[in-house]
């Protein structure tokens, strides 16, 4: 089975539109003209490898002089003698075999750990691009790393830099001028990093070209200070794990992040905004950072360098806030969603609630109609006079989901949606573990009006919208059953659907969205045929934690 695309981003390039799609730890670039794979990047592959894994040996090398001194000292008569007892010839041979086994096991463990550390999967959690489409930024959790890629006009990806954060990043955005990366971690801290590493003031720098390289590890212990055989083995094993081989590409940019602000709770999302002083907010100008946390708070802070100044709090959710969205066409509006199943529209500068929408009735209507339209039996329906066990389990799981979690909010604007109508502005909303998108129209006053429910072939993971047209691509989960985060799909023959395309269909003045026909979606069909990469057996263990992690933010009874 193919790994699903957890992150999508459409990029407008000179040669045509490109699609950046993250699958696990790999980043793919597809051409939306024909669906061909233009470029692909993954840890340890090709010239773009950030860690130079293809050049790294099985384990870190140890100085030959040190190894010789250690071995000679271990076997020399200067080592303190151990307690001896008389052994039979058979027992003596067993002891020699055990000693050789222990020595080889220590070496094998060091090699295995070294390989696992170098080849460790770095799941891409967030993906964003600059407005001109020339650069892409990714955030990975396992290695706590921010990577910047250059996107060539033809779609080739080149890794420019990678920088480590002190803790795992969970949110990512770019400032309005596309010169600074704003990143937050789950411990509540927010940092800023320049888009280009400062080692080269003229532009981007290559991996490993930092002004101060990481020095090779040097232990304070040496053969003259360690006297027992066990301690010598431990010292040798320590060096195998922690030493850095000089001259390899295993170097990272020096840390140049700057702390901006902090929460006392887990950070869930962040977004940047800029007010130009026009319209009703003529008295307000400047850049701002909006952050949300597990304690139902939405905090409005000034942008750098005054991020320590709090402008206000938007308080109205009764559960954690999971997603923030500021429409590009009106920066004073904020749409938020979280674990209470509510959409709230704010005038965030004044912390005023403009509108509130409960998603529970929409979700109930979706459960009633999703199965007949998707060719599946409705929850509780009877087939051939009796219910199958799988249908009953699916029905119980769907009906038990009374607590909804908003997993995504995406703004969209349709310029000239109809020949006689004005431009339409709206948002797409997704719920975690739900194969549906809910379409809302929203105006400049913050009025929110439900328009349409779109059924998909799998749980929605991410959406990327083509500017000004209303068409969009949605990545769907091909591993878990629709509306489930526990039950795996049965391996199916034929084409695996990991990507779906939708377009607007004229319906009077107000458009409606329909899935693109096969004849009109040849690039999407080609991408589905290519897929990403085959899932390994050990990938299934962490897939749920990576794809469906928002519900875990919900507090238990003793945490209220």
């Amino acid at each position: 089975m193919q790994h699903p695309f957890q992150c999508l981003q459409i990029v407008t390039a000179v040669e045509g539109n490109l699609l950046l799609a993250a699958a696990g730890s790999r980043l793919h670039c597809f051409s939306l003209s024909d669906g061909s794979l233009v470029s692909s990047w993954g840890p340890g592959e090709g010239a773009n490898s950030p860690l130079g894994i293809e050049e790294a040996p099985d384990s870190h090398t140890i100085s030959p002089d040190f190894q010789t001194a250690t071995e000679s000292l271990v076997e020399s008569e200067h080592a303190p003698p151990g307690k001896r007892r008389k052994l039979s010839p058979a027992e003596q041979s067993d002891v020699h075999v055990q000693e050789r086994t222990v020595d080889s096991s220590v070496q094998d463990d060091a090699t295995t750990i070294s390989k696992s550390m170098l080849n460790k999967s770095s799941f891409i959690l967030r993906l964003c691009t600059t407005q001109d489409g020339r650069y892409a930024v990714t955030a990975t959790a396992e290695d706590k790393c921010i990577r910047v890629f250059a996107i060539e006009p033809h779609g080739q990806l080149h890794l420019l830099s990678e920088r480590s954060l002190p803790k795992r990043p969970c949110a990512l955005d770019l400032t309005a001028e596309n010169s600074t990366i704003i990143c937050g971690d789950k411990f509540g801290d927010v940092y800023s990093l320049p888009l280009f590493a400062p080692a080269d003031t003229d532009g981007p720098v290559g991996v490993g070209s930092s002004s101060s390289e990481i020095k090779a590890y040097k232990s304070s212990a040496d053969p003259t200070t360690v006297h027992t055989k066990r301690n010598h083995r431990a010292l040798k094993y320590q060096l195998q794990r922690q030493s850095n081989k000089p001259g390899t590409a295993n170097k990272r940019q020096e840390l140049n992040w700057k702390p901006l602000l902090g929460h006392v709770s887990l950070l869930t999302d962040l977004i940047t905004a800029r007010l130009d002083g026009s319209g009703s907010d003529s008295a307000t100008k400047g850049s701002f950072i909006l952050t949300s946390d597990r304690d139902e708070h939405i905090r409005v802070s000034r942008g750098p360098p005054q991020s320590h100044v709090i402008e206000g709090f938007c308080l109205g959710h009764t559960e954690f806030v999971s997603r923030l969205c500021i429409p590009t066409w009106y920066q004073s509006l904020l749409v938020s969603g979280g674990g209470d199943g509510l959409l709230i529209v704010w005038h965030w500068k004044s912390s005023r609630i403009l509108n509130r929408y409960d998603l529970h009735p929409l979700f109930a209507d979706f459960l009633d109609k999703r199965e007949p339209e998707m060719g599946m039996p409705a929850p509780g329906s009877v087939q051939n006079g009796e219910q199958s066990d799988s249908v009953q389990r699916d029905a119980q799981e769907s009906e038990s989901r009374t607590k909804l979690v908003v997993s995504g909010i995406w703004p969209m604007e349709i310029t000239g949606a109809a020949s006689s109508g004005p431009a339409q502005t709206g948002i797409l909303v997704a719920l975690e573990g739900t194969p549906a998108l809910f379409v809302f129209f929203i105006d400049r006053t913050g009025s929110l009006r439900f328009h349409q429910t779109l059924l998909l072939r799998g749980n929605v993971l991410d959406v990327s919208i083509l500017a000004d047209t209303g068409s969009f691509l949605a990545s769907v989960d091909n591993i878990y059953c629709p509306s489930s985060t526990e039950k795996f799909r049965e391996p199916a023959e034929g084409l695996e659907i990991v990507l779906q395309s939708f377009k607007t269909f004229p319906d009077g003045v107000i458009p409606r969205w329909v899935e693109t026909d096969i004849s009109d979606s040849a690039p999407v069909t080609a991408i589905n045929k290519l897929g990403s990469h085959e899932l390994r057996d050990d990938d299934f263990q962490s897939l749920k934690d990576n794809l469906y992690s928002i519900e875990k933010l919900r507090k238990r009874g003793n945490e209220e």
Side-chain angles (χ1 to χ4, degrees):
M1 301 179 75
Q2 295 291 318
H3 196 295
F5 296 129
Q6 72 268 13
C7 296
L8 295 179
Q9 191 70 44
I10 295 178
V11 177
T12 302
V14 178
E15 302 295 331
N17 291 327
L18 302 171
L19 175 65
L20 293 181
S25 59
R26 300 179 61 86
L27 183 62
H28 305 278
C29 183
F30 297 94
S31 170
L32 290 180
S33 300
D34 55 7
S36 60
L37 179 61
V38 180
S39 179
S40 181
W41 178 90
E45 293 188 3
N48 288 337
S49 170
L51 298 180
I53 297 176
E54 71 281 359
E55 299 178 6
D58 289 343
S59 62
H60 296 296
T61 58
I62 301 177
S63 171
D65 296 336
F66 175 80
Q67 186 171 0
T68 302
T70 301
E71 293 176 351
S72 61
L73 187 57
V74 169
E75 301 299 333
S76 67
E77 59 183 2
H78 299 289
K83 183 179 291 186
R84 297 177 179 272
R85 68 184 180 90
K86 189 174 182 180
L87 302 175
S88 64
E91 291 176 329
Q92 290 179 358
S93 62
D94 292 340
V95 169
H96 291 313
V97 170
Q98 291 176 1
E99 289 181 350
R100 289 195 299 269
T101 303
V102 170
D103 292 339
S104 61
S105 63
V106 170
Q107 180 72 20
D108 292 342
D109 290 342
T111 302
T112 302
I113 293 176
S114 178
K115 285 183 177 181
S116 63
M117 291 175 64
L118 293 174
N119 297 324
K120 191 174 184 179
S121 174
S122 300
F123 191 87
I124 298 176
L125 294 176
R126 295 295 178 99
L127 168 66
C128 64
T129 59
T130 56
Q131 295 180 359
D132 57 8
R134 296 176 57 191
Y135 302 99
V137 184
T138 64
T140 53
E142 285 84 355
D143 55 1
K144 309 172 188 177
C145 192
I146 301 294
R147 293 182 174 89
V148 180
F149 296 85
I151 308 173
E152 292 189 352
H154 298 284
Q156 294 293 329
L157 296 173
H158 294 283
L159 180 65
L160 298 181
S161 65
E162 62 167 2
R163 282 160 283 179
S164 296
L165 292 176
K167 296 181 177 66
R168 291 189 177 193
C170 66
L172 184 70
D173 200 6
L174 294 169
T175 55
E177 61 275 10
N178 291 319
S179 62
T180 304
I181 303 170
I182 307 296
C183 180
D185 61 42
K186 285 191 174 181
F187 286 83
D189 297 324
V190 178
Y191 308 89
S192 68
L193 304 89
L195 182 63
F196 302 131
D200 184 0
T201 57
D202 296 332
V205 297
V207 176
S209 60
S210 61
S211 58
S212 60
E213 296 180 353
I214 301 176
K215 296 182 180 180
Y217 173 80
K218 183 178 180 180
S219 176
S220 59
D222 58 56
T224 62
T225 60
V226 178
H227 303 290
T228 65
K229 182 184 295 186
R230 176 179 297 178
N231 288 344
H232 274 286
R233 288 200 188 106
L235 178 60
K236 181 179 178 181
Y237 176 65
Q238 182 183 17
L239 290 177
Q240 287 175 331
R241 291 189 57 187
Q242 300 182 11
S243 62
N244 287 321
K245 181 182 177 181
T248 64
N250 190 12
K251 308 182 185 81
R252 288 190 176 180
Q253 302 287 344
E254 63 176 342
L255 301 181
N256 47 33
W257 44 265
K258 296 179 181 180
L260 298 180
L261 57 95
H263 284 243
V264 296
S265 180
L266 294 176
L267 190 76
T268 57
D269 200 10
L270 70 82
I271 192 169
T272 60
R274 187 173 187 84
L275 298 179
D276 56 7
S278 61
S280 60
D281 300 300
S282 57
T284 304
K285 293 181 63 176
S287 60
F288 300 87
I289 301 176
L290 282 71
T291 52
S292 60
D293 62 25
R294 191 189 182 200
D295 287 339
E296 306 96 37
H297 298 151
I298 300 176
R299 172 177 165 177
V300 180
S301 307
R302 293 184 185 179
Q306 296 181 321
S307 303
H308 59 281
V309 179
I310 301 176
E311 291 286 334
F313 287 90
C314 298
L315 305 177
H317 285 279
T318 58
E319 289 278 0
F320 62 88
V321 183
S322 56
R323 288 295 178 264
L324 303 176
C325 172
I326 293 181
T328 55
W329 32 266
Y330 196 45
Q331 291 278 301
S332 291
L333 289 184
L334 168 69
V335 184
S336 63
D340 52 9
L342 295 178
L343 287 180
I344 300 181
V345 183
W346 308 81
H347 184 276
W348 55 264
K349 190 63 177 65
S350 59
S351 302
R352 289 187 293 113
I353 295 179
L354 303 179
N355 206 333
R356 191 192 305 259
Y357 198 99
D358 188 359
L359 295 174
H360 288 86
L362 291 182
F363 181 74
D365 293 339
F366 155 74
L367 291 179
D368 292 338
K369 69 178 183 179
R370 61 152 187 163
E371 286 81 5
E373 294 193 21
M374 299 175 66
M376 300 169 60
S381 62
V382 178
Q383 289 183 312
N384 299 326
E386 59 182 11
Q387 286 185 326
S388 64
D389 293 338
S390 61
V391 171
Q392 292 179 3
R393 287 195 302 268
D394 294 342
Q396 292 173 358
E397 182 178 356
S398 299
E399 292 172 354
S400 64
R401 290 182 55 194
T402 57
K403 296 183 178 180
L404 305 181
V405 178
V406 175
S407 61
I409 307 174
W410 300 272
M412 60 180 177
E413 182 177 14
I414 312 169
T415 304
S419 58
S420 59
Q424 297 286 344
T425 54
I427 58 173
L428 295 174
V429 179
L431 301 176
E432 187 174 61
T434 302
L437 284 170
F438 303 98
V439 184
F440 291 84
F441 285 138
I442 184 172
D443 59 24
R444 293 178 176 270
T445 65
S447 176
L448 197 63
R449 178 167 54 92
F450 172 71
H451 177 61
Q452 185 182 1
T453 299
L454 299 175
L455 303 182
L456 286 84
R457 305 187 187 186
N459 300 332
V460 179
L461 299 179
D462 198 9
V463 170
S464 186
I465 300 173
L466 193 59
D468 299 334
T469 65
S471 300
F472 65 88
L473 298 176
S475 61
V476 297
D477 184 3
N478 60 307
I479 305 300
Y480 289 92
C481 293
S483 296
S484 175
T485 60
E486 301 289 343
K487 182 180 178 182
F488 289 103
R489 295 178 187 242
E490 294 293 335
E493 298 181 358
L495 185 64
E496 281 191 69
I497 302 298
V498 296
L499 194 67
Q500 289 185 251
S501 173
F502 291 84
K503 65 178 182 179
T504 56
F505 179 78
D507 187 12
V509 177
I510 301 177
R512 297 187 65 83
W513 279 261
V514 295
E515 186 174 3
T516 308
D517 296 333
I518 296 179
S519 58
D520 297 332
S521 61
V524 175
T525 303
I527 294 175
N528 283 323
K529 289 181 179 179
L530 290 173
S532 55
H533 62 273
E534 290 290 334
L535 280 168
R536 300 171 300 181
D537 293 339
D538 55 348
D539 290 335
F540 287 91
Q541 300 176 359
S542 60
L543 195 61
K544 179 183 176 180
D545 293 336
N546 290 326
L547 296 181
Y548 304 107
S549 59
I550 306 179
E551 174 61 34
K552 295 181 179 180
L553 295 172
R554 194 178 303 280
K555 295 180 180 179
R556 299 179 181 178
N558 56 359
E559 294 181 287
E560 295 293 342

